[in-house]
């Protein structure tokens, strides 16, 4: 294998800069953050993730799961991206393996309340020093077996290293169902660079072999430096929030009869950053919700538009 070009991640967020620990201590002394928040910020800086156990109660999670099983009764409102990348509407109470329900929060107030729940927006607000914009969400019914990666490779926003993700367990996650695996601290490693120093992989330009090289590089480095990954054996309602450069993957599904429902959302700063699709989807727009915003590259969210159906299917 050729030696991959690597580069240091741009320290776009204050938490990634050298003076972040001093900043956290100052905030603590000035009463800007609580002890618990300071501990979370320290952990996020060191490990690239935090876990919010039991953020949602059983009733809240059950209500979303109940809602999910009925989406196919109004299929045109919802989009599933299938394993091969094609898009279709749901046609039954269980979405097929490897499919992802896209931007569910647009039509589900419950999902919106989850991805923009106060403890999540508060933490993101501390990192961004402005409100967060939730801009791309994937809801999984089964383990994804998503190969090893950092989200910056696929999800593009500008500036790039302001991306964040939350992942909410919508049921108790059983071993063998494709539980999430991640490498604490891996967000501080240099980034794999694609052509011209790009940090995102472009299917058409870079092609599959480069992607294979990327995953090999990440796996080899993780094995050598990080050791075994941590597995997220979440209880329903637990949340993990991770850094754009945290290396993670979906483990193998060895019990395919078991669901692994989870709701993933991506975020960037609402005022000083933009998802890339704002460049090509002319109806992209942000809507306020609670203490943040949401947008979608599938739905027309411009003011005054009340169309619940997706308008951009690519
Ligand atoms: O939920 C999983 O298994 C991982 C999904 C993931 O990391 C992604 O889609 O970016
Ligand atoms: Fe990911």
């Amino acid at each position: 294998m050729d030696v991959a070009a690597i580069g240091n991640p741009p320290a776009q967020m204050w938490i990634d800069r050298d003076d972040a620990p001093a900043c956290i201590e100052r905030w603590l002394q000035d009463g800007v953050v609580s002890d618990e928040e300071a501990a979370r910020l320290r952990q996020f800086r060191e490990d690239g993730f935090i876990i919010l156990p039991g953020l949602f109660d059983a009733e809240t999670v059950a209500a979303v799961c109940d809602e999910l099983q009925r989406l196919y009764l109004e299929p045109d409102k919802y989009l599933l991206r299938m394993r091969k990348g094609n898009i279709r509407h749901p046609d039954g109470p269980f979405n097929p393996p490897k499919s992802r329900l896209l931007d569910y929060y647009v039509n589900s107030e419950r999902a919106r309340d989850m991805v923009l729940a106060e403890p999540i927006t508060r933490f993101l607000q501390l990192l961004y020093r402005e409100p967060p914009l939730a801009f791309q969400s994937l809801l999984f019914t089964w383990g994804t077996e998503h190969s090893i990666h950092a989200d910056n490779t696929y999800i593009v926003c500008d500036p790039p290293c302001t991306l964040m993700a939350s992942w909410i367990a919508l049921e108790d996650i059983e071993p063998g169902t494709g539980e999430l695996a991640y490498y604490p601290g891996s967000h501080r490693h240099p980034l794999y660079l694609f052509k011209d120093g790009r940090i995102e992989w472009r299917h058409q330009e870079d092609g599959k072999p480069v992607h294979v090289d990327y995953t090999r590089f990440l796996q080899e480095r993780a094995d050598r430096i990080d050791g075994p990954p941590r597995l997220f054996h979440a209880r329903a309602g637990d949340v993990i929030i991770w850094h754009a450069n945290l290396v993670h993957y979906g483990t193998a599904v060895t019990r395919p009869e078991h669901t692994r429902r989870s709701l993933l959302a991506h975020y960037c700063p609402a005022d000083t950053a933009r998802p890339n699709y704002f460049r090509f989807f002319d109806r992209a727009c942000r809507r306020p919700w609670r203490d943040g915003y949401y947008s979608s590259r599938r739905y027309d969210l411009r003011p005054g538009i009340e169309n619940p159906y997706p308008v951009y299917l690519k």
Side-chain angles (χ1 to χ4, degrees):
M1 180 169 79
D2 293 342
V3 176
I6 54 173
N8 284 326
Q12 209 75 55
M13 295 195 292
W14 69 266
I15 195 88
D16 295 322
R17 297 193 187 129
D18 291 342
D19 61 352
C23 176
I24 297 169
E25 297 323 308
R26 205 166 48 243
W27 273 5
L28 188 58
Q29 275 162 23
D30 295 349
V32 176
V33 293
S34 65
D35 286 335
E36 190 183 37
E37 286 174 332
R40 281 185 188 145
L41 288 168
R42 284 187 213 106
Q43 193 205 350
F44 189 79
R45 174 180 166 80
E46 285 306 303
D47 295 341
F49 73 93
I50 60 159
I51 291 174
L52 304 174
L55 183 57
F56 302 105
D57 61 24
E59 211 179 310
T60 304
V61 173
V64 172
C65 290
D66 196 50
E67 192 179 83
L68 281 171
Q69 298 222 307
R70 286 178 281 109
L71 299 189
Y72 75 101
L73 301 173
E74 294 180 288
D76 295 349
K77 281 190 183 177
Y78 303 101
L79 291 179
L80 286 176
R81 197 169 77 231
M82 308 301 288
R83 180 200 301 256
K84 300 234 184 271
N86 52 318
I87 304 238
R88 53 166 245 217
H89 301 293
D91 63 358
F94 287 95
N95 298 326
K98 303 283 168 68
S99 66
R100 297 109 205 269
L101 184 65
L102 303 174
D103 293 352
Y104 179 46
Y105 54 61
V106 171
N107 279 315
S108 166
E109 190 169 321
R110 291 183 203 281
R112 206 148 69 226
D113 278 346
M114 280 184 153
V115 303
L116 291 170
E118 197 274 339
I120 297 177
T121 52
R122 166 76 181 159
F123 186 69
L124 295 174
Q125 166 98 38
L126 290 174
L127 294 177
Y128 290 158
R129 295 175 163 152
E130 63 184 88
L133 168 71
F135 73 90
Q136 198 232 46
S137 133
L138 304 169
L139 190 142
F140 307 112
T141 305
W142 310 92
T144 65
E145 297 187 335
H146 199 308
S147 57
I148 189 167
H149 67 281
D151 288 344
N152 260 336
T153 307
Y154 307 116
I155 315 281
V156 188
C157 66
D158 177 26
C161 287
T162 55
L163 181 72
M164 295 280 298
S166 73
W167 190 104
I168 303 168
L170 297 178
E171 61 187 312
D172 293 347
I173 306 298
E174 303 283 339
T177 60
E179 56 270 45
L180 187 74
Y182 55 98
Y183 294 95
S186 55
H187 67 301
R188 287 185 277 114
H189 297 329
L191 297 180
Y192 181 102
L193 300 179
F194 297 93
K195 192 161 169 268
D196 302 328
R198 247 187 294 115
I199 63 168
E200 87 273 11
W201 176 68
R202 292 189 193 151
H203 194 160
Q204 305 233 315
E205 248 173 87
D206 299 317
K208 284 253 169 76
V210 168
H211 190 267
V212 170
D213 187 59
Y214 163 75
T215 55
R216 273 203 205 122
F217 171 82
L218 288 191
Q219 191 64 65
E220 185 275 327
R221 185 176 65 183
D223 292 345
R224 185 164 40 84
I225 299 181
D226 300 315
R230 209 165 292 175
L231 300 179
F232 192 38
H233 288 134
R235 311 289 297 170
D238 289 354
V239 179
I240 178 168
I241 298 178
W242 69 70
H243 188 285
N245 299 335
L246 187 79
V247 176
H248 60 280
Y249 64 96
T251 54
V253 177
T254 54
R255 295 162 75 198
E257 69 287 2
H258 273 263
T259 54
R260 196 221 65 178
R261 290 189 192 87
S262 52
L263 174 60
L264 171 60
H266 290 100
Y267 309 84
C268 67
D271 297 327
T272 58
R274 267 157 54 110
N276 203 40
Y277 60 73
F278 275 55
R279 292 172 204 260
F280 59 82
F281 180 37
D282 62 354
R283 280 162 281 185
C285 191
R286 64 180 205 184
R287 274 192 188 166
W289 190 254
R290 296 181 168 256
D291 297 327
Y293 296 86
Y294 64 100
S295 73
S296 172
R297 73 171 261 189
R298 316 279 167 186
Y299 294 85
D300 187 347
L301 299 181
R302 289 172 301 168
I305 305 277
E306 291 304 328
N307 175 18
Y309 300 101
V311 295
Y312 188 70
L313 307 190
K314 247 173 80 184

